Amino acid sequence: MKITKYRKALKFTYLKWNLLILFVCLLFMRGYVRLESTGDNLFHIFINGALMGSTASPQEAEEMLWEARREIAASSDSLVLMDVEMTYVGEEVMYGYVDDPKEVYDNICQALRSGVQEESVCSYTLKMNQYMVNLASVEEVEQLLQAVVSKYDSEGKFGVEVVQDENRLFNVLTVNAVDHGKQPGEEEARRQQEQQIYPIGGVQAQLEEIFAQDIEKDEKDFEDYELGIMSMDFAEKVEIVEAYLPQSQLKPVDKAIEELTVEQETAGVYVVQRGDTLSGISLKVNIPMEQIVAMNDALETINTTIREGQELIITVPEPKVSVERTEVNYYDEIYDAPVQYIDKDEWFTTQTNVIQQPHAGFRKIVAEENFVNDTMTGREILKEEVLMEAVPKIVERGTKVPPTYIKPISGGRASSGFGRRSAPTKGASTYHKGQDWATAVGTTVVASCGGRVSRAGWGSGYGYVVYIDHEDGRQTRYAHLSKIVVKVGDYVKQGQKIALSGNTGISTGPHLHFEMLIGGKQVNPRNYLE
């Protein structure tokens, strides 16, 4: 009866205590958060779109991310680049489960490792002129530059030293070529330091100065000169910068050495000087005459006339990087005296006359010579003893610029050139002595060059013809004309109208026949037309 009476009360008390115990358990159980009224309180973390786990705050996830970055970067000496994008989705829950922080951290580390791009290693970029190469270390840079220097240092005197570039604000290195033989020893260095601290003065300084002057006044003997390479340096500015680069962008040092030391064919230009001949130029640039002719359209054969100031294309072997050096050398040599010229103002520059033939001499010399790679760029004789005097070549030469020649008609089709041919019509020569241009009757014919008209009229097979004598001794002829507008004795200027083209004399059709004579003999006029 009593139990029945309190049954409902006991049942209610039982349920209330069970709910209270359950609430307390849920409140303090690990892995659950209680509901707060501040918004999202459970966050699902994603790396590159993949779920890493859930945390109670995004700040906790970001701390894990930075720690994971630090751990991965610390395990490598390289610059590690990672493709990482962290996102999170938050939600507000009364009760929610968060993952074990260690498990979340391990997931983040694994995602970062899978997102690591190619690692960038500490390297050095070397730039010289237009050449650039990436090497793995300063030692490889020195090895590369040492190979370049050693190519021209037969004595093995010079080494390379990478130093800070004092002219640059940033951390840029450069290189010096150092003469190992001139590095002061410990005793010499100590003496130089003492002189800086305790400089010589008074009577002792004056005596040493006088003594040094007396030594300078005494002429050196040949054996007193120090011979060999005196100095060496790179002709181009060398810049070296530290950088982090992918391993794939680094070049093996042996490949870089091959690139810098192997010579490549480089196009150059030679400007013809007064007195030059094609054979002489060939010797200067060490290229066969036939090869020079093949490279220049203006040269038809090795006998083609060249003019002062004319530019000739030449191809010379050159490395990508140039080295300058100065040498002092002793020679027993056969030498030539400089050519002596006597200018003749009334002569053209194409006229010369040798009035004394040369004879080589013999001498002993010590000379200071400057080189760029293997090409000598300058020479100064420091001491000379002539054993047999050289006899100079003496040449008379003209100073007047010779006249030029132009095509005598405008347009026209080149129909028959200079040289052997089949006779085009009865009575025509099988050796054509000029150049023909097919053109309509009545085309204006002009003087190819200024001069005096020596003939104007009928010329048998030439038909109507005009001869012009020029001041350089040459003569031009214009044949098969229909009309002549000048007379013998007239002086005409270059480009002045002298006749009209036609079809007179022995001719197969309307055209102009043009000849040029040098020394009374016909030559190919196209070789002389501008």
Side-chain angles (χ1 to χ4, degrees), residues 409 412-413 437-445 482 500-503 510-512:
I409 64 169
R413 175 179 58 84
W437 288 281
T439 187
V441 173
T443 301
T444 297
V445 179
S482 62
L500 299 178
S501 67
N503 190 27
H511 73 285
L512 171 69

Side-chain angles (χ1 to χ4, degrees), residues 10 32 70 98-99 116 118 127-128 135 278 339 348 490:
L10 289 173
Y32 285 87
R70 188 198 63 77
V98 294
D99 294 315
V116 171
E118 186 174 12
K127 184 178 184 298
M128 302 176 71
L135 298 172
L278 197 58
V339 178
F348 291 105
D490 286 349

Side-chain angles (χ1 to χ4, degrees), residues 78-79 81 117-123 134-135 243-251:
S78 307
L79 182 64
L81 301 179
Q117 299 175 338
E118 186 174 12
E119 295 186 6
S120 294
V121 297
C122 182
S123 59
N134 302 317
L135 298 172
Y244 280 87
L245 297 172
Q247 186 75 35
S248 59
Q249 294 185 20
L250 303 187
K251 181 163 291 187

